[in-house]
Amino acid sequence: MDVLLPRFYGMCFGVRDALAAANAHPAPHRVTLFGELVHNEQVNSRLAERGFRAQPEGERSLPTTPEVLITAHGVSDRERARLESAGLTIVDTTCPLVRSAHAAARKLDAEGRFVVVVGRADHVEVRGLVGDLSRFVVIAGAQEARRYEADAIGILSQTTTSPAEFEAAVASVRNHNPQASVSVIDTICKPTRDRQEGLAELLAAVEALVVVGGVHSRNTRELVRSAERAGVRALHVQSAAQLDPTWFVGVRRVGLTAGTSTLPETLDEVYQALVALDGIPSRV
Ligand code: SF4
């Protein structure tokens, strides 16, 4: 069995840099992680062992440590001000591409537009994106678009939305709102776009796909869904130990990829385990 990897996969620079900042912090016991730094149980338990406190995502009570670490997903300015006015020192690891999405949302809002965000309403990044807006709605995709009481609409997306879903959502908002001038800012991040494109190439070349990533990782589940949409069966695992050899019976070419919160060493372990099942490793 050949094991093929896409051109882009795994941990993005935003998550990697946030993790590096946490790892470099000299006094973890002084810090509360404001939500999950990465959707990866292995990493989160290592951080806990180092002394970081963790506040569950969406939990709004004020941390009791003197410092609070904002994750790569960012928070709204309102939330940042609330933390600062409580006397907390902020360790900010917001990804620069999430900051760009915030700037886009603020621009559309300042133009007086009703803002439509394409993404998952309960995702921490989206809560941060809409937290400073005056009029907005979050839609998961084209099917949730409606007519809005607005003559000017602005559309942007969660950074990890698939480009195809975003395009379909924009078209649907336009169709439902012929009365409105519509301005679109594409805020899908480059690592997400690269990974989707790399995956499309890979899916055309394999019979099955293994996706490595946390159970709560949205982009990992997106990778699985993309494979299924392309008619390629997919196996989602968190580690090499979860590989079931019987799943690969009859498979000659298997693809391997990983979500943005997967550690390179975890991916490597899975890669080695797949290669050990049988065959010669190769890349597309
Ligand atoms: S997925 Fe994109 S926006 Fe989110 S942290 Fe990674 S690079 Fe930044």
Side-chain angles (χ1 to χ4, degrees), residues 219-267:
N219 71 81
T220 301
R221 289 199 304 264
E222 277 294 324
L223 293 169
V224 173
R225 279 182 48 206
S226 296
E228 289 166 351
R229 276 198 299 267
V232 174
R233 66 193 181 101
L235 180 66
H236 178 179
V237 296
Q238 289 184 267
S239 67
Q242 291 177 335
L243 289 175
D244 172 4
T246 61
W247 195 83
F248 299 92
V249 172
V251 175
R252 284 165 300 142
R253 305 184 94 195
V254 67
L256 172 64
T257 192
T260 51
S261 50
T262 303
L263 291 171
E265 56 263 40
T266 309
L267 181 67

Side-chain angles (χ1 to χ4, degrees), residues 31-112:
V31 185
T32 297
L33 306 175
F34 206 55
E36 280 192 41
L37 194 60
V38 282
H39 294 128
N40 180 317
E41 285 170 22
Q42 193 188 358
V43 174
N44 290 334
S45 47
R46 276 190 215 160
L47 291 166
E49 277 163 25
R50 284 198 59 220
F52 286 102
R53 301 253 186 100
Q55 178 142 324
E57 245 153 46
E59 159 73 60
R60 291 202 76 243
S61 64
L62 286 165
T64 52
T65 51
E67 298 179 37
V68 60
L69 186 146
I70 294 172
T71 70
H73 300 304
V75 294
S76 65
D77 289 347
R78 225 173 256 172
E79 186 66 336
R80 187 184 303 269
R82 186 177 78 96
L83 296 169
E84 280 171 344
S85 63
L88 289 156
T89 300
I90 291 183
V91 180
D92 193 355
T93 71
T94 305
C95 173
L97 301 183
V98 172
R99 283 183 201 278
S100 300
H102 278 256
R106 273 197 300 270
K107 177 176 182 292
L108 295 171
D109 194 51
E111 289 171 0

Side-chain angles (χ1 to χ4, degrees), residues 12-15 72-73 95-98 125 159-160 189-192 260:
C12 63
F13 78 91
V15 169
H73 300 304
C95 173
L97 301 183
V98 172
E125 179 196 313
T159 56
T160 49
C189 78
K190 187 167 185 312
T192 292
T260 51

Side-chain angles (χ1 to χ4, degrees), residues 1-5 271-272 275 278-283:
M1 183 174 72
D2 289 347
V3 184
L4 280 74
L5 290 156
Y271 178 78
Q272 297 302 338
V275 170
D278 173 20
I280 305 151
S282 52
R283 284 174 183 262

